[in-house]
Amino acid sequence: MKAGSMKDEGGLAMRVVLHPSSFILALLAAWHFAVVATGTKIFPSPLDVLRGLNDLPHLGAYTRDSLFRVFCGYVAAVILGIPAGLALGWWSWLAKAANPLIQMLRPISPLAWMPLAVIWFGVSNLAPIFLIFLASFFPVVLAAMNGVRNVPPMYVQAGRNFGLSTTALMTRVIFPAVLPRILVGLRIAFGVAWLVLVAAEMIAVDSGLGYLIIDARNAGKRYDLVVGGMLLIGVIGLLLDALIRRAERMKFVKWAFTE
Amino acid sequence: MKVVFRNIGMSFGAAGQANHIRVLDDISLSVAAGEFVCLLGPSGCGKSTLLNIAGGFIQQVEGEVAIDGEPVTGPDPRRIFVFQERGVFPWLTVEQNIGFGLFDKTEAEKRERVAHYVQLVGLKGFEKSYPRELSGGMKQRLEVARALAVNPDVLYLDEPFGALDSITRLQMRRELLRIWQAERKTILFVTHDIEESVQLADRVVVLSARPGRVRRIVDIDIPHPRDLSDPRYIALRDEIFGEIGLAHQV
Amino acid sequence: MRRLLPLTGILLFVLAWHLAVATNDGTLVPSPWAAVLGIVELAQKGLLAKYVVASLFRVTWGYLAALIIAVPLGVLLGLWQRGEKAVNPVLQLLRPISPLAWIPIAILWFGVGDVAAVFLIFLASLLPLTLTTINAVHNIEGVHLAAGRNFGLTGRELVRSVILPAILPQLIVGMRITLGIAWLVVVAAEMIAVSSGLGFLIIDARNAGNRYDLVVAGMILIGVIGVVLDAMMRRLERLPGVRWGYVAE
């Protein structure tokens, strides 16, 4: 049961003022006036940002490079992470052995791996892709592992009761039961991948949206491009997240999300 | 005799340790083919454990369970366990759930079987629905259909109607009896509800509190359909009340 | 034997690491032992304490500042449906933007230094904590709120006696996860924007002389402190006022 909201006060006036789009408009207006009022030469207004992005020739290429890197690292993490997580969830002794290692590696920011990544992969696309892989790997593994652990024993018992072999048990019972939780993990992992991408691009490469932000400032205090880059990152990240959420509505997994 | 329990004993926890509990003690029982037997007892008396042993999901510490002379060593499609309605697979439709165990049948056979059992349990029209769209009673019927579809020799039901409201429970009991009379499977039914046991069973096995022992086996010699105001029904019910040691008044 | 099992994962890893380095002659990657010696060297030079304290200092201030704002804000938005609907798109838009993307703006407003780093931690923690709180408020059992109101509680009293205790379990889990995020971000922030701390150590050790033993030493320290912080938060989860909210494992 959802916690009751405070009695919905106010009529039409309140509804208009607090509508999501008017809130955003209000924020934009406030931003614009703040820039004008303080007479700042450096911080851009919303219009400056739009203009800056529009005039930038490399924008398409940067976006493409960022998307390429994040997909490579992410897909690798998913392909390796799901089986690893399933194994850890199924064989608890394996999980017990691997757990301390995972706990130790997890708090180390992917960026901290940068020097090692550069040793192994040089200054190329592979270094950020490796970082993105590292960052997405753990959420995927954990989601798959917890998914398996949380399969109600009743389903496994029923599967065994009907005479299923272990492989049939995995494909016909465990996997469908685990799928919703894995999907949620995939969505979270993508969010992490997208965050790390930006950070990774700030250090070792010379294209991409993360690079744009750092370079725009360093090369000429182009804060309009800095803010523009940030907003673009936000919008694209949001779109991709929404895409993955659509997958959660597929028939085969819908059952877990509509209780 | 279809199902024979011989001196079943069960404990959990290592012997001599603080967490050692003896849950079943020297249970012996014979069930004839096609018979409906209720295992009745208070919570914690081990009746579910006994059923799990008979299903091959738990290994007993002493004694043996044999079905058609063969000792039970693990789960087997010839004896299907029906859990409460949460046991149906939520990612499969009604049709797919019922057809779950039919993987060695041809498509045509499968379709025919599924249709038969959809009809039998009264879920016609809901073949393509998912469990989340069904009521509790319907999900329970789905689970029974899934169990029956593989044509098991024995059905185990572990308090299957526990999560349903009492009106639905009455309806489900009638449904179960109708299905049982149509298919004549051997049924072992666990319950803590005295009325339920007298309404359903041919024989009621009354178990004591932990460690579970057979206190008494009561023959319910009333033909179906059973009238709940019939004096014989009331007499048998009171006998069991007395056996369990409960007073008559609330 | 059972108790040794958790160690085998780490042992195998260290062994594999050692072998990989030993068999690969020209590699710059240090052996496990070299990394340990690196830690000792830092301790001897007095840098170990200095860098660890610097990183912890930044995390603490940024995180606490975010906590103080996020919880009241989250409770308000959690209860006020219309307000939340209005603000939500903005929150969702901010979520995919890495805190590190704010570095240029942070430097613009605060210059290079501690304040910028603390600001980044604050930013990184604010959003997850707020979203967690909003979520926790939504998950309060309606019957508990109804009971509170039934007994005559309103406004501040309702928040203090029902809402805050009710959201505590979920909030603490969110706090633990956000602390982990803050720790990740501080290290990254230090690699770019300041000149002390464990993140700085990693970048500096490499740039100033290819001291990869110190790089890996830094990584190990980061991992260990991260585990310790997480363990501390997990202890909070065992308090009686919090424990009730978790399903028995």
Side-chain angles (χ1 to χ4, degrees):
Chain A
M1 212 155 106
K2 215 173 165 172
S5 33
M6 311 199 300
K7 289 222 185 73
D8 268 351
E9 323 93 54
L12 192 57
M14 258 311 210
R15 282 215 207 113
V16 167
V17 165
L18 289 178
H19 196 270
S21 26
S22 32
F23 187 74
I24 295 182
L25 281 174
L27 272 184
L28 285 174
W31 172 10
H32 186 89
F33 283 126
V35 168
V36 167
T38 54
T40 175
K41 296 253 177 25
I42 308 183
F43 203 83
S45 76
L47 287 171
D48 293 331
V49 169
L50 280 174
R51 246 181 268 134
L53 284 179
N54 200 23
D55 293 339
L56 188 64
H58 314 290
L59 194 58
Y62 282 174
T63 310
R64 183 203 62 207
D65 287 342
S66 290
L67 287 173
F68 174 74
R69 290 177 190 128
V70 84
F71 277 124
C72 287
Y74 178 71
V75 167
V78 169
I79 291 179
L80 291 176
I82 292 185
L86 292 178
L88 287 179
W90 187 250
W91 290 291
S92 57
W93 58 267
L94 197 61
K96 278 210 188 96
N99 197 40
L101 184 62
I102 295 180
Q103 296 306 325
M104 265 289 292
L105 291 177
R106 220 160 41 124
I108 306 178
S109 167
L111 278 202
W113 289 83
M114 185 53 99
L116 289 181
V118 171
I119 294 183
W120 292 327
F121 303 107
V123 180
S124 69
N125 257 347
L126 277 176
I129 290 178
F130 174 68
L131 294 193
I132 291 167
F133 166 79
L134 266 184
S136 337
F137 188 69
F138 290 120
V140 172
V141 169
L142 287 176
M145 185 175 81
N146 285 325
V148 174
R149 284 200 182 153
N150 284 318
V151 175
M154 203 177 303
Y155 296 158
V156 177
Q157 274 184 300
R160 285 230 164 89
N161 203 178
F162 283 96
L164 260 47
S165 65
T166 308
T167 16
L169 196 65
M170 295 234 90
T171 46
R172 296 185 65 195
V173 177
I174 304 270
F175 192 69
V178 160
L179 208 49
R181 210 174 268 242
I182 289 188
L183 264 184
V184 173
L186 288 186
R187 182 163 53 81
I188 295 177
F190 187 79
V192 172
W194 189 247
L195 285 178
V196 170
L197 161 81
V198 167
E201 285 178 343
M202 286 180 166
I203 300 193
V205 292
D206 50 11
S207 72
L209 293 170
Y211 170 78
L212 168 65
I213 292 181
I214 282 291
D215 185 57
R217 174 188 168 264
N218 291 346
K221 301 260 189 287
R222 289 289 308 274
Y223 281 94
D224 55 338
L225 291 179
V226 167
V227 176
M230 288 168 69
L231 288 176
L232 203 54
I233 288 171
V235 167
I236 296 181
L238 204 55
L239 282 174
L240 294 172
D241 184 83
L243 265 176
I244 301 189
R245 272 186 204 268
R246 299 216 89 197
E248 285 171 16
R249 278 197 258 142
M250 288 192 312
K251 262 216 176 135
F252 205 64
V253 289
K254 211 167 143 183
W255 57 269
F257 296 116
T258 51
E259 267 300 325
Chain B
M1 279 295 139
K2 191 77 176 175
V3 183
V4 179
F5 294 83
R6 230 191 301 271
N7 308 106
I8 293 285
M10 185 64 192
S11 339
F12 290 116
Q17 300 280 58
N19 62 344
H20 178 84
I21 13 168
R22 183 115 181 116
V23 292
L24 291 170
D25 201 36
D26 197 28
I27 308 260
S28 291
L29 171 66
S30 298
V31 180
E35 209 185 347
F36 196 133
V37 170
C38 263
L39 300 173
L40 173 72
S43 282
C45 72
K47 50 197 192 297
S48 289
T49 308
L50 187 60
L51 205 64
N52 272 287
I53 291 175
F57 295 108
I58 304 181
Q59 180 79 337
Q60 68 277 19
V61 170
E62 292 142 22
E64 172 187 271
V65 184
I67 301 189
D68 282 332
E70 245 182 81
V72 169
T73 47
D76 192 291
R78 288 172 297 172
R79 38 184 185 269
I80 300 285
F81 211 101
V82 175
F83 309 88
Q84 297 188 12
E85 80 302 6
R86 296 167 287 135
V88 296
F89 298 126
W91 57 85
L92 296 177
T93 61
V94 165
E95 271 181 335
Q96 291 167 335
N97 258 293
I98 298 181
F100 184 76
L102 301 174
F103 35 86
D104 55 351
K105 302 259 179 293
T106 65
E107 274 309 307
E109 281 174 342
K110 218 169 151 175
R111 247 177 290 135
E112 196 192 317
R113 278 247 161 143
V114 169
H116 170 79
Y117 285 105
V118 164
Q119 177 84 348
L120 182 68
V121 300
L123 283 175
K124 202 156 167 67
F126 290 95
E127 290 88 338
K128 305 243 183 272
S129 305
Y130 283 93
R132 69 170 183 282
E133 301 164 57
L134 305 175
S135 70
M138 292 164 89
K139 280 189 275 192
Q140 193 62 67
R141 282 186 268 155
L142 173 59
E143 198 169 339
V144 171
R146 183 181 73 182
L148 290 174
V150 295
N151 202 19
D153 296 333
V154 187
L155 270 186
Y156 300 128
L157 293 111
D158 190 357
E159 299 193 48
F161 307 143
L164 305 173
D165 65 81
S166 61
I167 295 176
T168 311
R169 251 182 264 161
L170 286 170
Q171 293 168 330
M172 289 298 299
R173 286 177 206 155
R174 202 182 309 152
E175 286 294 294
L176 183 61
L177 284 172
R178 176 179 62 82
I179 295 170
W180 171 64
Q181 285 170 328
E183 301 262 319
R184 273 296 164 181
K185 305 285 181 199
T186 311
I187 294 189
L188 276 174
F189 188 108
V190 162
T191 181
H192 56 80
D193 186 335
I194 298 176
E195 302 264 1
E196 186 166 70
S197 65
V198 181
Q199 285 166 18
L200 293 174
D202 292 327
R203 280 190 296 154
V204 176
V205 178
V206 184
L207 295 168
S208 66
R210 183 185 301 158
R213 294 195 190 93
V214 178
R215 284 180 73 117
R216 186 118 171 245
I217 303 188
V218 180
D219 260 309
I220 312 289
D221 51 10
I222 313 173
H224 293 288
R226 291 175 182 167
D227 186 339
L228 301 189
S229 359
D230 178 33
R232 183 77 187 129
Y233 169 88
I234 296 178
L236 284 169
R237 187 199 65 192
D238 286 353
E239 222 180 291
I240 299 182
F241 261 107
E243 184 63 46
I244 293 197
L246 288 174
H248 257 245
Q249 288 157 329
V250 175
Chain C
M1 200 58 221
R2 273 269 172 82
R3 265 181 240 142
L4 292 179
L5 191 58
L7 293 177
T8 50
I10 293 195
L11 281 175
L12 277 174
F13 179 77
V14 172
L15 200 64
W17 173 7
H18 180 88
L19 284 172
V21 170
T23 53
N24 198 337
D25 251 339
T27 183
L28 291 165
V29 179
S31 73
W33 188 239
V36 171
L37 288 177
I39 297 181
V40 172
E41 180 185 327
L42 288 170
Q44 286 173 334
K45 285 197 192 148
L47 289 175
L48 181 64
K50 179 163 168 238
Y51 284 163
V52 168
V53 167
S55 295
L56 285 175
F57 171 84
R58 291 173 186 129
V59 162
T60 309
W61 281 110
Y63 182 78
L64 284 178
L67 192 62
I68 294 177
I69 296 188
V71 174
L73 182 61
V75 170
L76 177 66
L77 290 177
L79 293 173
W80 188 21
Q81 233 186 358
R82 197 163 283 149
E84 197 219 329
K85 276 215 182 93
V87 172
N88 197 40
V90 175
L91 294 179
Q92 296 306 321
L93 182 63
L94 290 177
R95 223 164 34 131
I97 305 179
S98 166
L100 299 182
W102 288 83
I103 287 183
I105 302 219
I107 296 183
L108 176 66
W109 287 342
F110 306 108
V112 174
D114 266 342
V115 185
V118 170
F119 175 68
L120 286 175
I121 307 301
F122 166 78
L123 270 182
S125 320
L126 186 64
L127 204 54
L129 284 174
T130 309
L131 291 175
T132 291
T133 311
I134 295 178
N135 213 323
V137 171
H138 283 163
N139 282 331
I140 300 180
E141 294 275 350
V143 291
H144 293 158
L145 278 178
R149 288 204 179 108
N150 201 182
F151 282 99
L153 296 174
T154 54
R156 287 244 297 270
E157 291 166 2
L158 192 65
V159 170
R160 201 159 22 105
S161 307
V162 177
I163 294 177
L164 283 181
I167 62 174
L168 213 48
Q170 211 174 324
L171 184 59
I172 297 228
V173 171
M175 282 169 64
R176 176 166 56 83
I177 297 176
T178 308
L179 186 58
I181 297 177
W183 185 243
L184 283 179
V185 171
V186 80
V187 166
E190 287 171 348
M191 295 174 89
I192 302 181
V194 291
S195 47
S196 69
L198 291 169
F200 170 75
L201 165 67
I202 291 182
I203 280 293
D204 187 57
R206 172 179 161 262
N207 291 346
N210 279 349
R211 288 295 305 273
Y212 285 97
D213 56 338
L214 292 181
V215 167
V216 178
M219 289 169 74
I220 296 178
L221 286 170
I222 291 170
V224 168
I225 295 181
V227 171
V228 168
L229 287 175
D230 191 81
M232 272 174 21
M233 289 300 292
R234 277 190 198 268
R235 300 212 90 196
L236 283 182
E237 285 171 17
R238 280 196 258 143
L239 292 173
V242 183
R243 233 160 96 181
W244 60 268
Y246 306 125
V247 179
E249 280 291 326

